[in-house]
Amino acid sequence: MAASKQPAVGIDLGTTFSVAACLDAAGHPQTLVNAEGERLTPSVVLIEDDEVVVGKEAVKAMGTDMAHVADCAKRDVGQRTFHKPLGGRPYPPEAIEAWVLNKLRLDTQKLIGAYQKVVVTVPAYFDEVRRKATQDAGYIAGFDVMDIINEPTAAAVAFGFQRGFLAEGGTSRQRLRILVYDLGGGTFDVTVMEITGRDFVALATDGDVRLGGRDWDQRLVDCVAEDFVRKHGVDPREDPNVEGRMWRECEDAKRTLSVRSHALITSEFGGHVARLDMTRAQFEEMTLDLLERTAFTTRQTLQAAGLDWSQIDRILLVGGATRMPAVVRMLRELSGQDPDQSVSPDEAVAHGAALHAGLLLARHAGQAPRFQIRNVNSHSLGVVANDPQTSQLRNAILIPRNTPLPADARRIFKTHKRGQKSILVQIVEGESAAPDDCAPVGRCSVRDLPADLPAQTPIEVGFRYLDNGRLSVQVKVAGTNTRLEHEIMRENSLTTDQLNSWRKYVSGLPPVARVISDGVAAP
Ligand code: ADP
Ligand code: MG
């Protein structure tokens, strides 16, 4: 790996905190500090008329200028716009994420020189649309995203590295099954992986894109606000800036409760002050259902992998919220074993991404790979088809969830009527047979079919699902030369023109000639 001139950089683009890491001359991952000298950068953006501020300073503005602050944009990725306008203007979530990435780019370039190639991580549970949007955020920020990799896989790679599995020469061929439990600020992910020497294989994955430390904070904020209402008859949540300050206070108290048995939370509103002494026991009780949700998903994922706890060698804790003692206790009770806390829960993901970046750069330079990653898909992929028996629309699944990637699948559909001029292929992601209950991934249409095509002409739809969870689609019409490839019109995704103008705006860099990974060339 050391042979490549370009730095191998991995970025953990988190819901609440982001981290960049790079391989040093010896090929070891090191966290790169930001301009403030810190290892973690809050994924918070303050957008004012004349300037955009990212990180710690933007967090401070949460107490005074909430109308211009965007946080947790990752939770909205895949939607058309961020859930709240900023200063009256709507923004796409990928542009907000791009500002975070752009800060990391500018800050880290001061340390390691100019670079563009990176690996960015995503929750394993992210669907195709969110993966594409994450890649787009990287592009807007002025990066060339070589690959996106699943966060639990990255954490497992960092763990394997630390254990010496990736060392040159000798490597253990012993099989190790690990369960990665990742509870971050906004997302929860659980993945069962098998490491055999340098082979990292995901067996099953599941999660919740709307569950994380933020929900624990929310319970505290609500509890403090209700206490305030009882004492003073007014609700401090009415003022967004006061609520912003309460968030900061409560998040801080939550951290205190990880190491102490109680924490004092003070709030001020409308000339009144209230103090609440929160005990760890109370806090754990009011958040028990959240923890239980993670336990449920963990049990389910283990089952999906066809394993029981006696077959799991290690439980790996990732994500800042796993520092809550209740998490460790719950997992101990569930599994009968002590979770492994040997990797840094904040940095392991970025370190694994940097190792993966090193692998890709080495491969580009023609060197033999030092390790190998194999993933499964986290959601079933299908197309919307008319069921001839019921005449109802139905999700015809082509690639079921937890299929090893890359995966290919094809299926034959038939045209409806004679002389049909076009076909619309709608791609959906989800487990339900009803298309409305699934997430739309995109559509592609085949136009200008030959005249007089008979009814029931076979149409072959093929999916190719890559290791990084990105999808390409081919459509072939029997008896014609009509073949369509790679042209998925995605719902809610930015057009090439929009991407390029955001890129100029956010990173100040011009569009580059590049091939977006689904094969559509950008100008
Ligand atoms: P993400 O990857 O989603 O951005 P992180 O893995 O950085 O998240 O974890 C951030 C979450 O961890 C936040 O909700 C933060 O409050 C929480 N957290 C960090 N340290 C502690 C701690 N000592 N005790 C409890 N929660 C913590
Ligand atoms: Mg994370």
Side-chain angles (χ1 to χ4, degrees):
M1 259 180 243
S4 85
K5 298 259 186 318
Q6 301 192 60
V9 182
I11 295 183
D12 170 7
L13 178 59
T15 314
T16 47
F17 291 97
S18 296
V19 184
C22 169
L23 297 189
D24 65 14
H28 294 222
Q30 306 290 349
T31 301
L32 298 165
V33 295
N34 62 18
E36 292 79 35
E38 280 165 358
R39 303 160 87 81
L40 310 190
T41 301
S43 309
V44 181
V45 180
L46 167 70
I47 302 175
E48 284 182 327
D49 298 336
D50 49 351
E51 63 176 353
V52 176
V53 180
V54 180
K56 199 177 175 177
E57 289 305 314
V59 173
K60 282 191 198 157
M62 286 174 81
T64 51
D65 201 6
M66 206 50 200
H68 292 93
V69 175
D71 69 328
C72 290
K74 188 172 177 177
R75 277 193 164 180
D76 291 357
V77 158
Q79 310 285 328
R80 187 171 294 275
T81 54
F82 185 60
H83 68 268
K84 77 171 191 200
L86 301 159
R89 221 197 121 168
Y91 286 89
E94 49 269 59
I96 297 169
E97 289 211 299
W99 265 301
V100 176
L101 289 171
N102 190 52
K103 172 182 169 59
L104 294 176
R105 183 175 66 83
L106 296 174
D107 287 5
T108 55
Q109 281 186 350
K110 288 182 196 144
L111 302 174
I112 57 173
Y115 68 93
Q116 290 206 309
K117 289 189 187 303
V118 285
V119 167
V120 180
T121 64
V122 291
Y125 205 60
F126 253 23
D127 58 23
E128 219 277 333
V129 174
R130 292 183 172 101
R131 284 168 195 265
K132 165 78 164 69
T134 304
Q135 236 166 5
D136 287 348
Y139 177 71
I140 294 171
F143 282 129
D144 171 4
V145 180
M146 292 187 284
D147 204 0
I148 39 178
I149 137 170
N150 290 342
E151 285 157 12
T153 306
V157 168
F159 172 76
F161 177 83
Q162 193 173 299
R163 289 293 147 117
F165 295 166
L166 309 182
E168 304 289 352
T171 155
S172 119
R173 293 303 296 175
Q174 179 203 351
R175 189 179 60 197
L176 207 58
R177 289 209 189 92
I178 65 174
L179 183 137
V180 184
Y181 176 102
D182 180 352
L183 187 61
T187 55
F188 170 64
D189 231 309
V190 52
T191 300
V192 179
M193 302 215 44
E194 196 168 85
I195 311 179
T196 314
R198 299 168 179 194
D199 232 7
F200 292 76
V201 181
L203 301 178
T205 187
D206 204 344
D208 195 331
V209 283
R210 305 201 80 84
L211 180 63
R214 274 250 123 179
D215 299 286
W216 272 256
D217 302 342
Q218 178 77 57
R219 293 285 165 88
L220 277 181
V221 168
D222 290 343
C223 174
V224 170
E226 281 153 25
D227 175 66
F228 204 98
V229 173
R230 268 194 303 276
K231 288 174 177 157
H232 302 295
V234 278
D235 191 335
R237 286 169 297 189
E238 278 163 23
D239 180 337
N241 287 335
V242 175
E243 195 182 10
R245 278 199 287 277
M246 284 171 74
W247 271 108
R248 283 171 52 193
E249 280 280 323
C250 287
E251 203 255 354
D252 205 43
K254 179 183 71 173
R255 289 172 189 253
T256 302
L257 290 171
S258 292
V259 287
R260 299 194 54 185
S261 60
H262 67 112
L264 193 65
I265 309 173
T266 309
S267 41
E268 264 183 76
F269 178 56
H272 307 288
V273 180
R275 285 189 187 82
L276 182 70
D277 196 13
M278 172 70 58
T279 67
R280 186 192 288 172
Q282 281 171 316
F283 174 57
E284 289 181 351
E285 198 193 307
M286 70 170 89
T287 52
L288 188 63
D289 60 311
L290 300 175
L291 193 65
E292 193 38 55
R293 267 165 70 189
T294 73
F296 178 81
T297 307
T298 304
R299 275 194 296 265
Q300 262 197 335
T301 311
L302 195 61
Q303 217 169 43
L307 299 173
D308 57 46
W309 285 110
S310 67
Q311 293 164 295
I312 296 291
D313 302 297
R314 285 274 193 309
I315 300 170
L316 201 59
L317 292 186
V318 182
T322 60
R323 291 207 179 86
M324 292 187 291
V327 169
V328 176
R329 206 169 54 231
M330 179 276 287
L331 285 169
R332 197 180 288 137
E333 277 162 20
L334 201 63
S335 69
Q337 53 179 287
D338 277 326
D340 186 305
Q341 291 173 282
S342 65
V343 300
S344 158
D346 308 302
E347 294 162 292
V349 170
H351 287 189
L355 287 161
H356 184 55
L359 171 91
L360 294 177
L361 291 172
R363 196 187 283 157
H364 293 170
Q367 294 163 10
R370 238 163 84 176
F371 61 96
Q372 185 175 311
I373 293 171
R374 275 177 284 151
N375 280 325
V376 292
N377 62 332
S378 51
H379 306 266
S380 299
L381 270 175
V383 297
V384 178
N386 204 312
D387 188 336
Q389 256 132 47
T390 61
S391 315
Q392 303 247 309
L393 289 181
R394 176 168 86 71
N395 169 18
I397 290 177
L398 269 81
I399 304 180
R401 65 180 305 194
N402 287 330
T403 302
L405 300 181
D408 283 296
R410 33 203 82 250
R411 196 152 156 175
I412 308 286
F413 298 91
K414 304 217 164 103
T415 53
H416 262 312
K417 48 183 191 217
R418 190 195 157 99
Q420 194 167 325
K421 274 272 168 290
S422 65
I423 311 159
L424 178 69
V425 181
Q426 275 177 281
I427 302 147
V428 290
E429 205 164 41
E431 313 314 314
S432 168
D436 284 350
D437 296 337
C438 298
V441 169
R443 49 210 152 79
C444 54
S445 52
V446 187
R447 288 193 201 85
D448 302 324
L449 291 177
D452 279 340
L453 206 60
Q456 305 291 312
T457 299
I459 311 232
E460 187 186 275
V461 176
F463 280 3
R464 180 157 181 77
Y465 208 18
L466 304 176
D467 330 32
N468 61 9
R470 297 297 322 281
L471 173 75
S472 67
V473 176
Q474 312 91 41
V475 181
K476 271 191 262 175
V477 182
T480 74
N481 290 328
T482 307
R483 278 181 65 112
L484 193 91
E485 223 174 324
H486 298 309
E487 281 186 27
I488 311 166
M489 307 263 299
R490 286 192 174 72
E491 329 272 334
N492 290 347
S493 151
L494 298 177
T495 65
T496 304
D497 283 349
Q498 287 170 324
L499 277 176
N500 284 333
S501 54
W502 277 111
R503 181 179 163 104
K504 263 209 178 107
Y505 185 50
V506 171
S507 69
L509 293 171
V512 286
R514 65 166 192 153
V515 174
I516 303 173
S517 70
D518 60 1
V520 185

